[in-house]
Amino acid sequence: MTSPRDGDIAAGRGPVPIRKSLGQHFLTDRRILERIVASLELNGTQTVVEIGPGRGSLTSILLPLCGKLVLIEYDRALAARLREKYADTPNVTVVEADVLTVSLAEAAGSEPFRLVGNVPYYITTPILFHALARPRPERAVYLVQREVAERIVAEPGSRQYGALSVNVQALAKAKILFRVAPGAFNPPPKVESAVIRIEPRDLPAVPAAAEEEFRRLVIDSFGLRRKQLRRVLRTVWRVSPEQAEAALTACGIDPAARPETLSAEQFAALLAAKP
């Protein structure tokens, strides 16, 4: 994530080529990098996991402010460069892997951790869901496409509201912190970005044992978002019209309503009322 003028050239080497196939857009604006780190609210003792450190610009700012730093980098050349750079830094660990295959909690040493990353836009949603697996980070700060950030915080009934909104809001509190213009990156993406903070809810809308079933219900329901809920539940749960109506009535939900009008709490109540 550094610019070509940073550590690579300082070490007498050219920068690792940008791989468009991995959706690489390296953040080079120092002011934005510092704002992202400040959003983690570090005091020098926390364990931090960084997703996609790339060329290491965010990493260099993070390092003095955390007790332990775990870097998860998929690009082989970039991971090798990071291992070389931090070979003599005992509190830095470089994990060369697809982040979706890594247990973030285990990578953090099974202790409380904070998560940060410039997330590749083409796999943003899978990464967000992956990071919501228990045990969750006590705070996560992501640089994502602005449209995705707006979907995460959208309210029921709004145009942006969808399965991503419900699944995040059921388990966590999310807030858009600030926007980032394309010119802050090398190469510049074609869309505007935003930094978003996600923190676990003290009381999630859905119990731990039901989280996966809840996620399937929400995703399947929004797959039928133009249908009334009475029809949605009949299709998703494979139940009779009477059973679907009874579940909705028990939750105080209008059977003629559509999925995009339900809050995370209402979806959780529906799941609890499943026949």
Side-chain angles (χ1 to χ4, degrees), residues 18-25 51-52 73-75 97-100 118-129 143-146 148 151 164 189 191 193:
I18 293 170
R19 294 178 62 183
K20 293 183 179 180
S21 63
L22 298 182
Q24 291 178 340
H25 296 278
I51 298 173
E73 177 56 58
Y74 181 69
D75 186 305
D98 178 346
V99 66
L100 298 178
N118 177 4
V119 180
Y121 293 162
Y122 73 101
I123 54 169
T124 297
T125 297
I127 289 175
L128 292 173
F129 282 153
L143 178 58
V144 300
Q145 185 175 340
R146 179 172 63 85
V148 173
R151 285 167 51 202
L164 178 61
V191 296
S193 304

Side-chain angles (χ1 to χ4, degrees), residues 98-220:
D98 178 346
V99 66
L100 298 178
T101 69
V102 177
S103 166
L104 299 176
E106 290 181 8
S110 300
E111 57 189 44
F113 69 101
R114 301 192 178 189
L115 184 65
V116 66
N118 177 4
V119 180
Y121 293 162
Y122 73 101
I123 54 169
T124 297
T125 297
I127 289 175
L128 292 173
F129 282 153
H130 183 59
L132 285 171
R134 291 175 180 263
R136 295 187 256 277
E138 56 187 6
R139 171 172 292 189
V141 176
Y142 302 104
L143 178 58
V144 300
Q145 185 175 340
R146 179 172 63 85
E147 180 182 343
V148 173
E150 291 175 346
R151 285 167 51 202
I152 291 171
V153 303
E155 297 182 354
S158 65
R159 182 178 59 83
Q160 299 97 332
Y161 191 71
L164 178 61
S165 318
V166 177
N167 277 305
V168 173
Q169 293 173 25
L171 305 177
K173 301 172 292 183
K175 181 179 180 180
I176 296 176
L177 301 180
F178 54 91
R179 296 182 179 182
V180 181
F185 298 85
N186 176 36
K190 296 181 180 179
V191 296
E192 194 173 55
S193 304
V195 173
I196 188 166
R197 181 184 67 215
I198 297 178
E199 297 175 319
R201 288 175 52 167
D202 293 333
L203 294 174
V206 60
E211 285 180 11
E212 184 56 39
E213 188 177 7
F214 177 86
R215 182 177 300 178
R216 289 199 304 271
L217 169 63
V218 172
I219 291 173
D220 290 345

Side-chain angles (χ1 to χ4, degrees), residues 24-141:
Q24 291 178 340
H25 296 278
F26 299 115
L27 183 61
T28 58
D29 188 313
R30 177 81 182 190
R31 182 180 61 89
I32 298 297
L33 291 164
E34 290 176 345
R35 290 183 70 184
I36 291 173
V37 173
S39 301
L40 288 168
E41 296 185 2
L42 302 173
N43 62 17
T45 65
Q46 292 94 348
T47 294
V48 177
V49 176
E50 183 184 356
I51 298 173
R55 293 173 176 170
S57 57
L58 190 66
T59 307
S60 63
I61 302 173
L62 280 168
L63 185 56
L65 300 174
C66 58
K68 177 182 177 182
L69 183 56
V70 180
L71 311 175
I72 303 177
E73 177 56 58
Y74 181 69
D75 186 305
R76 179 179 300 178
L78 290 172
R81 196 68 62 87
L82 290 165
R83 280 195 298 268
E84 181 181 356
K85 182 175 181 179
Y86 294 109
D88 298 324
T89 310
N91 63 330
V92 175
T93 301
V94 179
V95 179
E96 182 184 331
D98 178 346
V99 66
L100 298 178
T101 69
V102 177
S103 166
L104 299 176
E106 290 181 8
S110 300
E111 57 189 44
F113 69 101
R114 301 192 178 189
L115 184 65
V116 66
N118 177 4
V119 180
Y121 293 162
Y122 73 101
I123 54 169
T124 297
T125 297
I127 289 175
L128 292 173
F129 282 153
H130 183 59
L132 285 171
R134 291 175 180 263
R136 295 187 256 277
E138 56 187 6
R139 171 172 292 189
V141 176

